[in-house]
Amino acid sequence: MMRGAVTAVLAVLAIQCSQGALAAEPQFKLRASVDTSATHGRTLSAADYLKKLQEKSGGRIMTELFHSGQLFRDRDVVKALRQGAVEMAIPGTWVLTGFVPDADVFQLPAFFGQPYPVVYAAADGRIGEIINKQFESKLDVKLLGSWLQLGYQNTYSTNKPIRDFADQAGMKIRNSGGAGQSARAKFFGASPNVTAWPDVPLALSQGTFDGLSSTDESLASAKLWESGVKYGFADREFVGFYVPMISESFYRKLPPDLQKLVIDLWQENIHAYRKSMEEAQTEARHTLEKNGVVFVSPSESALAEVRAKMLPLQDGIAKELRISPALLQQVQADATTIGH
């Protein structure tokens, strides 16, 4: 009986020592902010990453995700990272162009209609590297690695079917803003309109514009068939990306093994996250079709033909977008990879 008591005491002491060792390990709090809903692909990817990060760090990094703009809207999150109000964010390139104009590179004609592998190669290659260096130096952040795509931006309409690029002539088409989208609408003979996303359903139903540029998932989540959208033209205008980043000051506080973990873990999972985002857009298109939206998809040759016609405008568009000469030169150098 004495032996059993001693064994029990030793077991308790072992647990206490183990707990003391764990308590001695510095613990880091990582809060992540996104302004998409709980079910959006970006939010789900972030949640998966944070869960794995907490597990693989053995609880040395404790994580918490705030979605739906609970902490910050994407447009405000970079400032929050700098001030230490949050440790991680995955903002869209479109809210980062005010800091780094080169983030608008995928608005250039060279990327119009390009398939995912071509765009991924550019984002993961020298083009993305040039932009990432600017993000890190200008925003005081550490990039986790490869960007997460939102998906293809397509064209949708209410009463007039778009079966070909020429059908956009004379239409008023809403976009989210920027010189690239405006130039693209004008190229097809359409009038660009900029309307904030929350106002789109009412504006559509009132006939403020004839169509809009957006993604399948955005339209499906907003149920825009209820606002009059009847047609989809899958012209793959450009691919929007989300950029994974953490505060540089937070990153510097981490010991080397955890610094390595936060980077490696994102890269290990980005392929799966991108695949999931692609699947979400495919599912969204099915939802739109089930609700009566009729789609037309231009052929690869038709997309390539339009892209070739748009390329002579590229230098002018790059200037309006304030794309740096160095990045534009890299886009031109990668011409064979990009697939002009």
Side-chain angles (χ1 to χ4, degrees):
M1 186 170 180
M2 178 65 72
R3 185 180 300 169
V6 170
T7 302
V9 169
L10 289 174
V12 170
L13 287 173
I15 291 172
Q16 289 175 339
C17 288
S18 174
Q19 289 174 336
L22 285 174
E25 285 279 9
Q27 198 174 79
F28 302 91
K29 180 72 174 177
L30 190 156
R31 297 161 296 175
S33 171
V34 295
D35 63 6
T36 39
S37 68
T39 57
H40 190 277
R42 173 177 58 162
T43 307
L44 295 175
S45 297
D48 181 77
Y49 171 76
L50 294 175
K51 178 175 179 289
K52 288 175 176 174
L53 183 59
Q54 184 165 312
E55 290 173 350
K56 290 186 178 292
S57 70
R60 291 165 66 197
I61 299 180
M62 299 300 292
T63 65
E64 189 172 7
L65 176 62
F66 296 87
H67 59 78
S68 307
Q70 292 171 318
L71 280 186
F72 302 100
R73 302 284 291 179
D74 273 5
R75 64 173 179 264
D76 303 316
V77 83
V78 170
K79 183 179 179 182
L81 282 170
R82 282 174 159 170
Q83 295 177 340
V86 69
E87 287 72 44
M88 176 179 170
I90 318 177
T93 50
W94 48 93
V95 302
L96 298 173
T97 56
F99 304 100
V100 179
D102 280 354
D104 243 354
V105 66
F106 293 108
Q107 293 281 2
L108 292 178
F111 296 102
F112 179 84
Q114 296 285 14
Y116 278 129
V118 172
V119 183
Y120 292 161
D124 295 341
R126 180 63 182 149
I127 289 171
E129 185 181 327
I130 291 172
I131 302 170
N132 284 340
K133 285 182 178 178
Q134 295 181 70
F135 283 148
E136 291 191 333
S137 64
K138 294 182 179 181
L139 307 183
D140 196 25
V141 297
K142 177 68 178 177
L143 270 289
L144 293 179
S146 298
W147 303 351
L148 177 69
Q149 90 287 4
L150 167 59
Y152 291 124
Q153 197 92 355
N154 298 312
T155 306
Y156 310 85
S157 61
T158 51
N159 298 317
K160 181 182 178 181
I162 304 177
R163 301 187 180 91
D164 187 75
F165 293 101
D167 291 334
Q168 297 179 58
M171 295 180 68
K172 184 181 289 186
I173 297 179
R174 175 265 173 196
N175 65 66
S176 55
Q181 295 192 80
S182 176
R184 196 160 41 245
K186 291 175 183 176
F187 179 81
F188 295 119
S191 299
N193 168 278
V194 179
T195 297
W197 184 252
D199 301 326
V200 164
L202 180 60
L204 267 173
S205 61
Q206 293 179 337
T208 304
F209 41 83
D210 311 302
L212 72 156
S213 177
S214 188
T215 70
D216 290 343
E217 188 175 25
S218 295
L219 262 75
S221 63
K223 299 182 179 181
L224 289 190
W225 58 83
E226 295 179 353
S227 301
V229 172
K230 299 174 185 174
Y231 307 101
F233 189 56
D235 50 357
R236 302 196 319 226
E237 299 170 12
F238 70 96
V239 176
F241 279 98
Y242 294 114
V243 184
M245 57 182 67
I246 58 175
S247 160
E248 175 67 24
S249 60
F250 172 78
Y251 179 76
R252 286 197 301 264
K253 291 175 186 176
L254 300 176
D257 64 317
L258 291 183
Q259 287 183 342
K260 186 175 187 301
L261 178 64
V262 296
I263 302 297
D264 289 351
L265 191 61
W266 179 267
Q267 285 304 111
E268 288 169 11
N269 289 279
I270 186 59
H271 177 74
Y273 296 158
R274 282 179 172 175
K275 184 179 179 183
S276 178
M277 294 293 274
E278 289 179 22
E279 291 171 349
Q281 292 288 356
T282 300
E283 182 59 33
R285 174 161 171 168
H286 292 159
T287 298
L288 292 169
E289 289 175 329
K290 287 175 186 175
N291 285 277
V293 179
V294 178
F295 277 84
V296 170
S297 299
S299 66
E300 292 295 333
S301 60
L303 290 168
E305 183 180 346
V306 170
R307 185 164 58 249
K309 291 178 180 177
M310 294 175 74
L311 277 174
L313 305 174
Q314 183 155 277
D315 286 354
I317 293 173
K319 189 174 181 179
E320 284 194 65
L321 292 171
R322 296 183 294 137
I323 300 295
S324 67
L327 186 62
L328 182 59
Q329 186 177 5
Q330 188 63 50
V331 170
Q332 293 164 344
D334 290 353
T336 53
T337 305
I338 294 173
H340 283 190

